[in-house]
Amino acid sequence: MGFRVDVEKRGGRDVYTMRDDVSGASASVSPSYGFNLFDLRLPIAGEPRPVVVSAPDFAENPQGAGGNGVPILFPFPNRIRGGGFEFQGKRYAIPPNHGPNAIHGFAIDAPWDVVEHKAEPGAAVVEGRFRLSVHAPEHIDHWPTDAALHVRYALADRQLTMTVTVSNPTARDLPYGFGIHPYFRLPFPPGGDLGRTRIVLPASRYWPLVDFLPTGETADVDDRLDFRQGKPIRGLKLDDVLTGLEHVDGAGVCRLIDEEKDAEFQLVYDSSFRELVVYTPPGKDDVIAVEPYTQTTDAVNLANRGIAAGLRVLGHGEEDVLRLAMRTVG
């Protein structure tokens, strides 16, 4: 197989591009800006097509951290109410960065280290590392302890695999949540029939929100939020948190289907992921963000109310390994 990783300077920043020369697939990462996977092209209907959406000049001039490519959200995804929470008897305050709330963690726009890039016998690989005390030291006092995050991207044939390792290098407990915020375009290619598309999401429940924050209850999905049989992307207006995810053999699958091309894109995640945030950015009728999270929004505060919201806690030396994949079929 013809795998390689190209490294080039774009706007003074290193960009790492994984390539499969046989399938034509490619995936580009900006390590200096959140290790963002800002361009992913996979074979669809006979040719490589872009499935991840970012600004045309994102590589040279990355900005809008939460609005391009595949932002990485850690140690918390989405909002923390008022930027404040209590953990093990101590109060923490995060400077608000989205209205009155803190949003999307500390890794999203930080400079990451590239651990390794290589062509293996079975894939092109780029690995990155984020450590809170090293790469976002201004936030070290805003979280109960230091935290380490390792992300491995591997591209082969029609699939990009993302392996995430969260670890606690300290003697204190590490609370965390992890998520990604990928923007996908449907149909393939742009300009197709929005009505001949289908978005299938395996969620049976949702978290009612007030001011984009969960009230603490969940409810069965209504017609607006029931995507189990699929809905066309045309006319969708979403900014919601789904839960009650179905996992088959330990995996959940979200499907973006182009009926005109008889092809689909799949976002696959392991059973660590229990929520999906779905968001349609204004003015972009053919773009949807489908965001797997290990917890719901504001989980750290919900946990203090005794609500099982998905907050994870690692002791000294412990680690979690999470897996996702993006692939095409047809």
Side-chain angles (χ1 to χ4, degrees):
M1 301 291 285
F3 299 115
R4 58 191 168 97
V5 179
D6 297 332
V7 185
E8 62 178 328
K9 290 283 187 183
R10 296 180 62 178
R13 297 173 179 266
D14 287 335
V15 171
Y16 290 71
T17 300
M18 295 161 276
R19 300 189 188 277
D20 179 342
D21 289 333
V22 175
S23 71
S26 65
S28 297
V29 179
S30 176
S32 67
Y33 197 72
F35 206 61
N36 189 307
L37 179 81
F38 65 89
D39 187 20
L40 175 62
R41 296 167 189 261
L42 297 175
I44 298 173
E47 64 179 276
R49 300 177 191 271
V51 292
V52 166
V53 181
S54 61
D57 64 343
F58 186 83
E60 296 81 11
N61 183 33
Q63 56 184 319
N68 291 278
V70 184
I72 293 173
L73 315 180
F74 178 81
F76 63 93
N78 218 295
R79 295 162 175 82
I80 290 181
R81 185 186 296 272
F85 64 96
E86 185 176 297
F87 182 73
Q88 295 183 346
K90 183 177 178 180
R91 188 74 183 169
Y92 296 88
I94 306 169
N97 60 347
H98 196 273
N101 306 308
I103 194 168
H104 289 340
F106 311 132
I108 188 171
D109 58 359
W112 289 44
D113 290 332
V114 175
V115 177
E116 190 169 31
H117 66 282
K118 59 185 177 180
E120 296 181 341
V125 174
V126 178
E127 301 182 25
R129 179 190 295 122
F130 168 85
R131 183 158 175 173
L132 177 56
S133 60
V134 175
H135 301 103
E138 67 276 17
H139 291 298
I140 191 65
D141 293 332
H142 302 150
W143 205 251
T145 187
D146 200 0
L149 181 65
H150 183 282
V151 172
R152 181 183 193 268
Y153 287 123
L155 179 74
D157 194 19
R158 309 181 70 162
Q159 178 166 301
L160 179 96
T161 302
M162 182 179 186
T163 304
V164 178
T165 303
V166 181
S167 57
N168 180 2
T170 78
R172 302 188 306 276
D173 285 349
L174 165 63
Y176 86 90
F178 176 87
I180 59 172
H181 193 322
Y183 289 86
F184 303 122
R185 175 167 280 123
L186 184 69
F188 325 111
D193 185 351
L194 298 178
R196 295 193 63 187
T197 59
R198 200 151 46 95
I199 296 167
V200 181
L201 308 175
S204 61
R205 297 183 67 80
Y206 75 104
W207 292 85
L209 308 177
V210 174
D211 295 329
F212 305 102
L213 292 158
T215 61
E217 300 95 17
T218 64
D220 290 338
V221 290
D222 54 16
D223 182 65
R224 185 179 75 88
L225 294 177
D226 189 350
F227 287 84
R228 288 172 291 182
Q229 301 304 313
K231 294 180 183 293
I233 195 171
R234 175 185 287 162
L236 289 180
K237 304 295 180 186
L238 301 168
D239 196 347
D240 297 274
V241 186
L242 306 180
T243 190
L245 304 186
E246 179 186 21
H247 296 84
V248 178
D249 296 329
V253 182
C254 301
R255 303 168 62 203
L256 276 63
I257 302 168
D258 184 335
E259 295 172 337
E260 192 170 33
K261 294 290 184 186
D262 192 26
E264 67 179 84
F265 171 84
Q266 298 180 348
L267 173 62
V268 185
Y269 46 85
D270 70 20
S271 57
S272 305
F273 294 90
R274 40 164 287 164
E275 266 76 34
L276 284 174
V277 171
V278 286
Y279 169 62
T280 50
K284 299 179 180 179
D285 293 342
D286 60 348
V287 176
I288 186 168
V290 180
E291 311 167 39
Y293 289 3
T294 60
Q295 64 174 47
T296 191
T297 302
D298 199 32
V300 66
N301 282 313
L302 294 176
N304 286 331
R305 292 167 50 190
I307 296 169
L311 183 71
R312 289 176 165 235
V313 180
L314 293 177
H316 169 66
E318 293 182 340
E319 67 177 31
D320 284 341
V321 179
L322 321 172
R323 293 180 175 86
L324 305 104
M326 304 176 199
R327 65 192 185 199
T328 56
V329 178

